Amino acid sequence: MAINQKEAIKYNHKHLLGIQYLSIPEVNLILDESLAFVELNRQENKKLKILNGKTQINLFFETSTRTLSSFELAGKRLGADVMNMNVLHSAIKKGETLIDTAMTLNAMHPDILVIRHQDSGAANLLSQKVNCAVINAGDGRNEHPTQALLDAMTIKMKKGKIEGLRVAICGDIMHSRVARSNIYLLNMLGAEVRVIGPSTLMPKNIDAFGVKVFTNMEQGLEDCDIIMMLRMQTERMDGSYIPSTREYYEFFGLDYKKIKNAKEDALIMHPGPMNRGIEIDTSLADDINRSIIVQQVEMGVAVRMACLKILMESKQ
Amino acid sequence: MAINQKEAIKYNHKHLLGIQYLSIPEVNLILDESLAFVELNRQENKKLKILNGKTQINLFFETSTRTLSSFELAGKRLGADVMNMNVLHSAIKKGETLIDTAMTLNAMHPDILVIRHQDSGAANLLSQKVNCAVINAGDGRNEHPTQALLDAMTIKMKKGKIEGLRVAICGDIMHSRVARSNIYLLNMLGAEVRVIGPSTLMPKNIDAFGVKVFTNMEQGLEDCDIIMMLRMQTERMDGSYIPSTREYYEFFGLDYKKIKNAKEDALIMHPGPMNRGIEIDTSLADDINRSIIVQQVEMGVAVRMACLKILMESKQ
Amino acid sequence: MAINQKEAIKYNHKHLLGIQYLSIPEVNLILDESLAFVELNRQENKKLKILNGKTQINLFFETSTRTLSSFELAGKRLGADVMNMNVLHSAIKKGETLIDTAMTLNAMHPDILVIRHQDSGAANLLSQKVNCAVINAGDGRNEHPTQALLDAMTIKMKKGKIEGLRVAICGDIMHSRVARSNIYLLNMLGAEVRVIGPSTLMPKNIDAFGVKVFTNMEQGLEDCDIIMMLRMQTERMDGSYIPSTREYYEFFGLDYKKIKNAKEDALIMHPGPMNRGIEIDTSLADDINRSIIVQQVEMGVAVRMACLKILMESKQ
C-alpha cells in the first residue's frame, strides 16, 4: 500500500550522527532527495525557501575548507540563516568546555548544529546536550556520514548502482573516519568492500568490519569498479607509520601502472584535499576519464541539502 | 494622556554606548520589547523582516564567541545583512587607526555598527566619527550595556521583578565592564547591589558606585537573591592580583557551602565563559535549580534584537 | 541608431580580470551603472533582488579588510548568497593547489568567484579552470581592476570628468597593482598620468606604460588635479628599497608644503589603509577640502555592485 510505503521511508532520527545508525530505506531516502538538489544546483536560480526562519550553526573545531563551505552553501541555498563559529582549537579546553559551548549555542535556539571535532564521539555527546538536530561533519576517527553519503551518491550517478560493485578503499584506514563511514554504507548497500594499506595503518579490529584486507595494492585493486583513495595526513608521515612518502607512493600511491589491475572502467575517488604525488599520481587525479573527484564535491552540496531538509521535516 | 505616555517611553539616543546614559523608561522599553523576541526565538520560524535592507557590521577587536554570535543571530533573524569584520588585534595600531577603520566602514553606509574593543571609550570615540547607530559590545573596563540588559531581563523573567532584590556581584570587579554596567543598571532599577572580591581586585573609587563592598564572600552573600559571578581573566592569575587560583577558589569561588549564606532560592548568574573550579564549582554551575546561566544566553539574543529594533526605529 | 548604440555598450567578457582587457565603452558602462548604486547605498533600504539565487564566493589568499568587506556588502545588497573562504596562506601550497581549490569551488556551482592572490596571474589562471565569472580583487603586482574603477568613479564624481586631468600616482610604483590598473584606466580615459617615486621603486619598463616619470615630488606634482598616494608596504621599509621611513617621508611623503606645487583645487586619493606620517601627513589625510579617501571607499561598494550586476547580465 502506498501509505505504508511512504511511512517506510521516513527518517526516524532526530540527528545524523553516523552511517551505523541508518537503515537502508533511510539511506535511500537521502540519496533520492539529493537528486532534486543536484538539479537545482546546476540551475541559474539556486535558492529555495525550505529552511526560511531556521538557524543553522556550523561549529568546526578542526579547520576545513570544503566540508564547511559545502554545509554553508547547502544551508544558505535552502534559505536558512547560517552562522559559522570560529572555534580556535587552542582556546578550547576539552571535555566540559565542548558541553559549555553546546549549552551556550543551544540557548540561542538553533535548529541545526553541524559539528566537526577532533575527538571521536563528540557529535554524539553534543546531541545529548542540545534540543536541535545535530549533524556529524566528522568526529575524530569515528564517522563522517555525509562524506559516505555523497560518495554513494557519486557512485550511483556514475555507475547507476552500488550493489554488486567491488570498491577498494586505499591508504590510512586506521585513522580515517571517511573509511569507517564508507565501509558501513557500502556494505549496507551491497557492494563488495576491500581495504588496502600498509599493515601499520590498518585498524587492529579490521576483521570485524566485514571487508577484505589487502596490504598489496596490485592484488587489492584486482577487478575493482571503484577506487577510493584516502588523504595521507602529514602528521603520519614522520616515519612512525610509513618509512617515507616516496616509499609510500611507490607501494600505495595510485598511478597508471597500478590501476591496470582494476577494471578497465574503474573510477577514482578522493575526499580531498589531495596530496598529489603522495597518495595519487597527479595526472591520474586530473584524468576526466578516470577521476570523479570533482563530482564528489558537487554531490556533497546536494547530499547535505537533502540531509538538512530531511532532518527539519522529521522534526515536525 | 496616552500620547505623553508614548513619548515618555521613546528611546532618545542615536547609539547604545552605556547603561550610564540610559533613563529608567528607556531601560524598561528595551526589556519590554525583548519579551516578544524571547517568544519569537522559541518558535519554529524565527525570522522577521524588520531590518530588511539594513546593514549591520560587527567590528570585534577582541575575540568573542557568545557576544558576537548573539549579535550575529539577532541581526540575521531581524532580516539585516550582517557582516563580521575579522580585525586581528596585532594588525591594528591603536588610536588613529580605529578612526581610520571607522571612517572606512562608515563610507560603506552601514546602519548599525556593533563594536567590541579593548580600550575604554572606544565605542564613544567611534560614535563621534560615524553616521550610523553604534552599539557598544564591550569597551575595555568601561561598559558592556547589552550584557547588563540581558542580565536584568533574565532576573525579571526568573524573579518577576528587580526592585528590592539583593544582588551580589563577585570576583574581579576592578577589570570588569560587566560589573560596571550591572552596577549602573541594577541601582537604577532599585536593587540593592553588593560587590564581593579581594581588595586587590576592587576599584579604588568603588565607594562612588553606590554599592556595599565586601571582601568576605560569606558576609557578602548574606540573604542575597542573585549571585553574579564574574569571569576571572587568566592574565590576572599570575600572582600579582591573586596568590593562586586554588587559594582564590578557596576564598572567592562559589560552592555549595558558601551559597548557604544566600537566600534559599538564590539564583546564580555568570556572563561566560566560565572557569569551572576557579570562580565557580562545576556542579553548582550545572545545577538547574540554582544556575540560570543558559537563560542569560537565551535572553541575550532577544535583548539584542530589541536593541537593534529600537535603534533603527529611533533613527527615523 | 539606438540599437547599435545599445550593442556597443555591452560588456563582452565573462570575467573582470584586468583593466587592460576592457574597452572604453565597457568602462563607461560600469561607471554609468555604478551611479544608481551610489544612490541606493545612501538610502534607508539598501537591498535589491538582482542576484537572488546566485552564489558569490570571496576567495582571499591575502588578508584584506576593505576590499573583502566591500565585495561582501556589494553581493549581499544585491541579494546574492555570499560566502567568504578563509584561506590561510600557510596552508596552501602554490601552483596546483590553487587549481585544486578552484576545481573544488567550481564543483559547488558558484556564479561569481572573487579572488585575491599574492601571485600575478592567479585570477587569469583561475578563470581558465572554472565555469563561473571571476573577478580579480588583486593579483600580485599585476592588476586590481575594481580599485582603478572606483578611483575613476570617485574622480568623475568630484571633478565631473577624467579627460584632460593631470593625475600623479606617487610612491611604490614597482610593487603596486593599484598603480598598474590606474595607469591603464586613466590613460584610456584621456588623463595625463604621471608617476612619482624613488628610482628604486620604479619598474624597469615604466617607459612602456605611457606615463611621465618623476623622481622629484615637487616637479611631479606640478599643476596636478589629482594626487594618488600609494601605500608603502612595511616589508619595503627595511632599508633595501628606501633608506628609512623618515627620509622617505621627507622626500616622498605628501604634506601641505609639497602639495602647493599641485593645482589649488587638487584632490588627494589613497587606496588605504594609510601609513600616516610615512606616505602622507596625517592632517592632510583628514582635510575634507583636499582628501577624497572616504569617498573612494563609498564608490568602492557601488562600483563592485555594478561589476557584479554586469557580469551576471552578460552571462545570460
Side-chain angles (χ1 to χ4, degrees), chain B residues 44-239:
Chain B
E44 280 296 303
N45 190 329
K46 287 171 265 291
K47 189 93 176 182
L48 295 177
K49 298 187 173 183
I50 292 176
L51 297 194
N52 271 15
K54 299 281 192 294
T55 302
Q56 172 189 333
I57 301 181
N58 300 324
L59 181 63
F60 276 56
F61 291 83
E62 289 182 348
T63 53
S64 158
T65 304
R66 71 188 64 205
T67 306
L68 178 58
S69 303
S70 189
F71 273 110
E72 183 178 345
L73 283 187
K76 285 182 170 174
R77 286 182 180 165
L78 293 175
D81 286 322
V82 182
M83 183 168 78
N84 294 331
M85 298 280 297
N86 296 316
V87 190
L88 292 177
H89 183 267
S90 60
I92 297 288
K93 287 155 207 146
K94 291 174 187 178
E96 282 180 327
T97 309
L98 169 62
I99 295 177
D100 276 348
T101 304
M103 298 299 281
T104 298
L105 293 179
N106 191 49
M108 295 182 187
H109 296 293
D111 299 277
I112 304 149
L113 266 175
V114 180
I115 181 176
R116 166 165 289 191
H117 198 280
Q118 63 281 1
D119 292 340
S120 304
N124 286 52
L125 181 64
L126 188 76
S127 73
Q128 293 160 24
K129 299 289 173 183
V130 298
N131 302 314
C132 67
V134 172
I135 298 181
N136 182 3
D139 64 325
R141 304 181 188 182
N142 181 34
E143 281 236 37
H144 189 357
T146 57
Q147 178 70 43
L149 288 162
L150 75 87
D151 288 339
M153 187 72 190
T154 309
I155 297 171
K156 226 178 145 182
M157 294 286 277
K158 286 289 170 184
K159 292 285 189 186
K161 61 165 187 176
I162 291 168
E163 197 171 355
L165 295 183
R166 181 176 285 182
V167 182
I169 305 175
C170 313
D172 179 2
I173 308 295
M174 183 162 70
H175 300 97
S176 174
R177 54 200 178 208
V178 174
R180 222 160 246 83
S181 286
N182 262 307
I183 290 170
Y184 291 133
L185 187 58
L186 291 167
N187 266 335
M188 194 191 295
L189 297 177
E192 180 203 323
V193 186
R194 300 174 154 209
V195 295
I196 313 173
S199 53
T200 50
L201 290 173
M202 202 60 77
K204 283 181 185 170
N205 64 338
I206 186 66
D207 295 331
F209 282 89
V211 295
K212 289 190 186 149
V213 183
F214 294 84
T215 53
N216 176 294
M217 193 83 168
E218 283 77 8
Q219 290 170 16
L221 289 180
E222 204 181 309
D223 284 330
C224 278
D225 298 282
I226 298 287
I227 308 166
M228 284 190 178
M229 302 308 298
L230 300 174
R231 176 173 170 80
M232 177 61 65
Q233 302 294 330
T234 46
E235 59 265 33
R236 319 281 182 231
M237 299 181 191
D238 63 355

Side-chain angles (χ1 to χ4, degrees), chain A residues 221-272:
Chain A
L221 290 179
E222 204 181 309
D223 283 329
C224 278
D225 298 281
I226 298 287
I227 308 166
M228 284 190 177
M229 302 307 299
L230 299 174
R231 177 173 171 80
M232 177 61 65
Q233 302 293 330
T234 46
E235 61 265 33
R236 320 281 181 232
M237 298 179 191
D238 62 356
S240 49
Y241 290 103
I242 59 170
S244 71
T245 56
R246 180 184 291 191
E247 196 167 331
Y248 182 81
Y249 181 70
E250 178 71 18
F251 287 102
F252 295 98
L254 188 66
D255 56 21
Y256 279 104
K257 191 171 165 231
K258 294 198 197 82
I259 203 177
K260 282 183 183 155
N261 295 279
K263 280 200 185 151
E264 242 184 288
D265 62 351
L267 298 176
I268 304 164
M269 303 175 76
H270 193 296

Side-chain angles (χ1 to χ4, degrees), chain B residues 225-229 254-256 259 265-270 280 284-285 287 289-296:
Chain B
D225 298 282
I226 298 287
I227 308 166
M228 284 190 178
M229 302 308 298
L254 188 65
D255 56 21
Y256 279 104
I259 204 176
D265 62 351
L267 298 176
I268 303 164
M269 303 175 76
H270 192 297
I280 190 165
L284 195 53
D287 186 335
N289 296 311
R290 289 295 199 171
S291 167
I292 53 173
I293 295 171
V294 294
Q295 283 82 358
Q296 289 174 275

Side-chain angles (χ1 to χ4, degrees), chain A residues 20 29 47 74 77 86 88 102 104 121 126 200 210 214 223-224 287 315-316:
Chain A
Q20 58 190 303
L29 175 66
K47 189 93 177 183
R77 286 181 180 166
N86 296 315
L88 294 176
T104 298
L126 188 74
T200 51
F214 294 84
D223 283 329
C224 278
D287 187 334
K315 189 182 167 188
Q316 285 150 3

Side-chain angles (χ1 to χ4, degrees), chain C residues 157-211:
Chain C
M157 294 286 277
K158 287 289 170 184
K159 292 286 188 187
K161 61 165 187 176
I162 290 168
E163 196 170 355
L165 295 184
R166 181 176 286 182
V167 183
I169 305 175
C170 314
D172 179 1
I173 309 295
M174 182 161 68
H175 300 96
S176 174
R177 55 198 177 207
V178 174
R180 221 160 248 84
S181 286
N182 262 306
I183 290 169
Y184 291 133
L185 186 58
L186 291 166
N187 266 335
M188 194 191 296
L189 298 177
E192 180 203 324
V193 187
R194 300 173 153 209
V195 295
I196 313 173
S199 54
T200 50
L201 290 172
M202 203 60 77
K204 285 180 181 169
N205 64 339
I206 186 65
D207 295 331
F209 282 88
V211 295

Side-chain angles (χ1 to χ4, degrees), chain C residues 70-86:
Chain C
S70 189
F71 272 110
E72 183 177 345
L73 283 186
K76 285 182 171 174
R77 285 181 181 165
L78 292 176
D81 287 321
V82 182
M83 184 169 78
N84 293 332
M85 298 281 297
N86 296 316

